């Protein structure tokens, strides 16, 4: 009997050793995805990120498009969104795909899990690593916000995380960071030279006296500060941040100081939580990428940080008839330190592609470059 009991105890210990517990007590098994290490392409010395903002996926070919031209409407469904992702993957060959929230439109999704599976299917089929954060509509179907993120975390090829394991208390679901290491065979192959931060910007205010949308809370900012400080002790790598709801500081821009278009108001929280100041103080984040406002796609610099919209991607999301759905690309390039040796990050560039016949590339910009401060501001570059 004692031998049987010992065997049972050993078995339970083994099971416990392969299960991690996050800060909300959700038990999540280690997946093969956890061993994937993002790194720069050793041939091109680049790391390319495709941002997909506001898919608003619902029930596939049963879900009609919104705000398209009359000639498009009859045969336009969620499948147009799927086709657009596939075209972008084929054209740009990204190293990472980032979905910045409102991945599904909960009110019109009969089964949240099925809609999530369909929405992310192109990324999964491509076997390209991908990451996601939540918007304000993802939880409005048959799964709670927490369980939507849990479902995403369990999908193939995703690097998404429910929350960091070293945070005792943190608001939201989907706060995590990813490290991008140097090119294989280089001196920096085992060091992060690009840091990516993902945060849950919430859905709606839970404070009765504060109306409107959610915001990034102090607990999340504390986690970001701690993580940024830890990463910067290892190396002075630049960082990028992805979340759904734009910061109030997006209001600072008009047509004179950004690239792109502003065709609607900035739907940020009605209070300023100070996260932009937190980003400035940390010093490593060079650009922020959001969604939420579908017919804004501009990108402008404020206090050394570019604030960028992805532009509306999904066909079941509101848009503007005749104004193409679009996606934002980011390309981070390394400096060449020797004939066959890649060094640290040299520049960060961005552009958008339209879902037209030619996947037209527009609005190229240099967001950051490792040059003297007097040369940091760049004019939009031509995309050939």
């Amino acid at each position: 009997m004692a031998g049987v009991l010992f065997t049972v105890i050993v078995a339970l210990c083994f099971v416990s050793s392969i299960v991690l517990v996050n800060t909300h007590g959700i038990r999540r098994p280690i997946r093969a995805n956890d061993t994937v290490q993002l790194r720069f392409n050793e041939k091109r010395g680049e790391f390319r990120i495709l941002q997909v903002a506001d898919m608003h996926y619902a029930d596939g070919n049963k879900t009609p498009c919104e705000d398209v031209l009359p000639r498009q409407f009859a045969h336009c469904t969620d499948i147009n969104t799927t086709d657009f992702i596939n075209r972008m993957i084929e054209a740009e060959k990204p190293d990472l795909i980032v979905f910045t929230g409102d991945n599904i439109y909960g009110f019109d999704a009969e089964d949240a899990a099925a809609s999530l599976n369909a929405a992310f299917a192109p990324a999964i089929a491509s076997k390209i690593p991908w990451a996601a954060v939540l918007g304000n509509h993802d939880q409005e179907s048959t799964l709670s916000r927490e369980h939507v993120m849990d479902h995403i975390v369990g999908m193939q090829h995703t690097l998404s995380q429910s929350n960091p394991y070293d945070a005792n208390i943190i608001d939201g679901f989907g706060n995590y960071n990813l490290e991008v290491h140097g090119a294989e065979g280089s001196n920096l192959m085992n060091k992060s030279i690009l840091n990516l931060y993902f945060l849950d910007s919430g859905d709606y205010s839970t404070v009765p006296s504060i109306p409107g949308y959610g915001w990034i809370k102090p607990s999340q900012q504390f986690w970001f500060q701690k993580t940024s400080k830890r990463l910067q002790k290892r190396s002075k790598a630049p960082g990028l941040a992805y979340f759904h709801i734009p910061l109030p500081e997006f209001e600072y821009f008009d047509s004179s100081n950004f690239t792109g278009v502003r065709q609607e108001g900035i739907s940020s929280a009605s209070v300023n939580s100070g996260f932009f100041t937190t980003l400035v103080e940390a010093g490593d984040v060079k650009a922020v990428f959001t969604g939420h406002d579908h017919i804004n796609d501009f990108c402008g610099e404020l206090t050394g940080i570019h604030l960028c919209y992805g532009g509306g991607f999904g066909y079941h999301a509101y848009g503007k008839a005749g104004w193409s759905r679009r996606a934002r690309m980011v390309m981070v390039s390394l400096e060449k330190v020797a004939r066959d040796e890649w060094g640290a990050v040299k520049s960060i560039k961005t552009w958008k592609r339209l879902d037209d016949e030619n996947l037209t590339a527009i609005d190229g910009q240099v967001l950051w470059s490792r040059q003297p401060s007097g040369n940091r501001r760049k004019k939009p570059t031509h995309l050939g």
Side-chain angles (χ1 to χ4, degrees), residues 31-63:
R31 308 176 320 276
N33 301 352
D34 292 323
T35 64
V36 172
Q37 177 57 63
L38 298 174
R39 67 174 63 254
F40 280 77
N41 183 285
E42 61 184 295
K43 294 181 179 179
R44 302 190 310 267
E46 296 172 356
F47 190 82
R48 300 164 77 92
I49 304 171
L50 165 61
Q51 180 191 359
V52 177
D54 297 273
M55 286 191 292
H56 278 232
Y57 210 94
D59 292 331
N61 58 15
K62 296 189 295 183
T63 304

Side-chain angles (χ1 to χ4, degrees), residues 52-57 100-103 136 244 290-294 311-315 317:
V52 177
D54 297 273
M55 286 191 292
H56 278 232
Y57 210 94
T100 50
D102 282 3
N103 308 296
N136 54 294
H244 182 69
T290 69
H292 194 51
D293 299 327
H294 306 173
F313 190 102
Y315 277 87

Side-chain angles (χ1 to χ4, degrees), residues 98-142:
V98 177
F99 297 90
T100 50
D102 282 3
N103 308 296
I104 63 172
Y105 187 63
F107 286 128
D108 292 339
E110 293 181 4
D111 182 324
S115 294
L116 289 164
N117 293 344
F120 296 123
I124 293 169
S126 73
K127 299 183 180 180
I128 294 171
W130 59 277
V133 294
L134 301 182
N136 54 294
H137 290 303
D138 290 292
Q139 76 291 340
E140 293 168 340
S141 180
T142 55

